[in-house]
Amino acid sequence: MKIYHLSHTDLDGYACQYIVNFYFKNVNFYNSNYGKEINDNFNNIIKDIQENMGENEKILLLITDLNLTLSQCKEFDEVCKEKDIKILLLDHHQSGLECMQKYSWYFLDNSRCAAKIVYDFFSKICFNDEKMKDFINIVNAVDIWLNKDKDFELGKVCLGLIANAKEINRVMFKKEHISYMFYLLDRAKTFIQKERSHILLDNALHFIKKDYFIKDNDDTLANLISKFIVEKLQDHKEEFTIFYENHKGLLTSNIGNTSIIGNEFLINNPDYDFFLDVSSKKTLSIRANGSLDVSLMAKKLVGGGGHKNASGGLFASFKDSTNYNYIKAQFIDLIKSKEIKKEENAQK
């Protein structure tokens, strides 16, 4: 059976996936906040299933730590029945009560965090693991706020660890992002049962992250992360490539540190003329290597501007998404619309 697992973007949500990854290996992981993002991820999952499903392969769509609306439940139920996909939701948010009462695949228990529900469910099917159980008790203590529990303080540090783990973009590098989250949870788990474990883990966070990103020579954490991201961009550059007026560029989304990462990528890839990042706030940040005046590019595309090699602007009609292909399609449409307008003006 192939599992497609959609979960929340906090400690509890990633812990759910950490458990599933412990018990099963044939799993694709997706992460979402609430609202429209859940629908976007669901559509991505269905698309991935259709493109990769083997003959007679059984599919389970597992949703954890996310409560759905009735309209979402209706849509998901209909699509999964039509495509013969089993669906199971394990959650603890009381706001999903009406959905649970209507759909048999919707399980709700507000006395436990979602990760504890997931662990209890799969440990009964597979086997019990005491170390995993201890870790899940820590997640449970902080997620449902048992502030008198002995595991609460360590849980708080773990909560911050995941909340601040923004080093690897989850839209651009889905597999690398989830691998990093599992690594952080692996390392956090080693502090269980140690005296003053919460303080020890808090003191170690910087070095835990450095251990993940360092390869050869030591450097600042920021430099190690930038080097890692540039390498991953190079690995995926064909997917992220766009063209503007016969100039070749790379399009990223919420990559961060655009000046450092963009310039380093352009130095390492001289066949690329520009590097463009679009943020959730609709802002564009463009860098170039001297072969393209990106201040003119920003002006033509969005009425922006700046310097020849460093410019930006506001892409007012941009709609953020967890689907990179949708983000890329919007920018390609923007470029095409300006090219069409330019041709129309030339004909007048």
Side-chain angles (χ1 to χ4, degrees):
M1 174 177 280
K2 176 80 174 181
I3 301 174
Y4 291 79
H5 186 179
L6 175 63
S7 197
H8 196 203
T9 56
D10 63 357
L11 172 64
D12 194 20
Y14 285 110
C16 291
Q17 295 179 320
Y18 184 64
I19 298 161
V20 172
N21 186 67
F22 176 76
Y23 284 117
F24 306 99
K25 296 307 173 188
N26 196 18
V27 186
N28 281 15
F29 295 104
Y30 306 77
N31 295 93
S32 176
N33 288 304
Y34 297 105
K36 182 179 178 295
E37 198 170 312
I38 295 177
N39 298 79
D40 290 343
N41 272 278
F42 177 76
N43 292 332
N44 291 342
I45 291 170
I46 297 302
K47 182 174 179 291
D48 288 345
I49 291 173
Q50 291 174 329
E51 292 178 351
N52 301 292
M53 186 175 179
E55 188 175 354
N56 298 321
E57 185 177 33
K58 300 296 183 182
I59 302 295
L60 172 65
L61 170 56
L62 175 63
I63 302 174
T64 58
D65 198 33
L66 290 167
N67 64 278
L68 306 184
T69 63
L70 279 172
S71 62
Q72 286 172 328
C73 285
K74 184 177 184 295
E75 178 188 350
F76 295 4
D77 188 68
E78 290 174 352
V79 172
C80 288
K81 282 179 178 177
E82 177 189 343
K83 300 186 180 299
D84 195 25
I85 298 170
K86 299 294 182 183
I87 182 170
L88 173 64
L89 184 144
L90 303 174
D91 188 39
H92 69 125
H93 296 98
Q94 189 62 31
S95 49
L97 180 61
E98 192 175 4
C99 295
M100 184 197 72
Q101 293 171 339
K102 187 168 183 178
Y103 294 94
S104 60
W105 46 264
Y106 198 118
F107 179 83
L108 169 68
D109 178 3
N110 65 358
S111 68
R112 298 173 283 171
C113 72
K116 188 165 178 56
I117 295 171
V118 171
Y119 175 76
D120 291 344
F121 182 87
F122 285 109
S123 63
K124 289 178 181 177
I125 295 173
C126 301
F127 57 88
N128 183 54
D129 183 88
E130 288 301 321
K131 289 184 179 179
M132 183 63 77
K133 186 177 181 180
D134 289 342
F135 173 69
I136 296 309
N137 285 337
I138 290 167
V139 177
N140 188 67
V142 71
D143 195 74
I144 62 174
W145 214 252
L146 305 176
N147 58 355
K148 301 299 182 183
D149 192 285
K150 64 180 180 63
D151 295 320
F152 181 71
E153 289 299 327
L154 181 55
K156 279 168 58 181
V157 180
C158 291
L159 188 71
L161 172 63
I162 295 301
N164 296 315
K166 303 182 186 301
E167 290 80 11
I168 302 178
N169 186 300
R170 68 183 175 94
V171 174
M172 303 289 299
F173 312 114
K174 188 178 296 183
K175 290 182 179 179
E176 291 87 347
H177 171 80
I178 198 70
S179 176
Y180 181 50
M181 291 301 185
F182 290 167
Y183 161 82
L184 293 176
L185 295 179
D186 268 336
R187 292 293 297 268
K189 199 167 68 169
T190 65
F191 287 80
I192 298 173
Q193 307 300 344
K194 291 184 178 181
E195 188 177 351
R196 302 195 311 159
S197 58
H198 59 296
I199 298 174
L200 294 177
L201 176 57
D202 186 64
N203 290 341
L205 294 183
H206 179 76
F207 298 99
I208 288 173
K209 290 185 176 184
K210 287 192 74 172
D211 285 347
Y212 186 84
F213 291 105
I214 195 168
K215 284 188 175 180
D216 302 315
N217 300 319
D218 195 9
D219 205 336
T220 64
L221 178 59
N223 285 343
L224 291 172
I225 293 169
S226 295
K227 185 177 180 180
F228 177 92
I229 296 302
V230 170
E231 288 178 356
K232 294 305 172 185
L233 287 172
Q234 290 172 175
D235 291 342
H236 298 275
K237 63 183 179 180
E238 296 305 320
E239 178 186 352
F240 302 149
T241 296
I242 58 171
F243 291 90
Y244 170 77
E245 295 186 349
N246 296 319
H247 290 280
K248 187 178 181 181
L250 198 83
L251 175 67
T252 63
S253 173
N254 293 302
I255 204 69
N257 292 324
T258 308
S259 292
I260 295 172
I261 292 173
N263 284 311
E264 188 170 342
F265 176 85
L266 292 171
I267 290 170
N268 293 347
N269 299 269
D271 55 318
Y272 281 76
D273 301 316
F274 66 93
F275 183 102
L276 190 153
D277 185 72
V278 55
S279 76
S280 299
K281 296 180 180 179
K282 305 178 185 288
T283 57
L284 301 183
S285 182
I286 317 173
R287 298 294 180 268
N289 59 7
S291 60
L292 171 66
D293 186 341
V294 293
S295 68
L296 294 178
M297 178 183 179
K299 182 179 180 180
K300 290 178 183 178
L301 291 179
V302 295
H307 304 285
K308 181 179 179 181
N309 288 324
S311 294
L314 183 69
F315 186 0
S317 62
F318 174 73
K319 294 181 180 178
D320 196 22
S321 174
T322 57
N323 184 340
Y324 174 80
N325 290 330
Y326 178 62
I327 292 171
K328 184 177 181 179
Q330 290 182 76
F331 201 82
I332 291 173
D333 286 345
L334 173 66
I335 294 173
K336 287 181 178 178
S337 69
K338 298 302 178 180
E339 290 175 346
I340 292 171
K341 188 175 181 179
K342 181 179 179 182
E343 291 176 1
E344 290 175 345
N345 290 336
Q347 293 171 1
K348 289 181 180 179

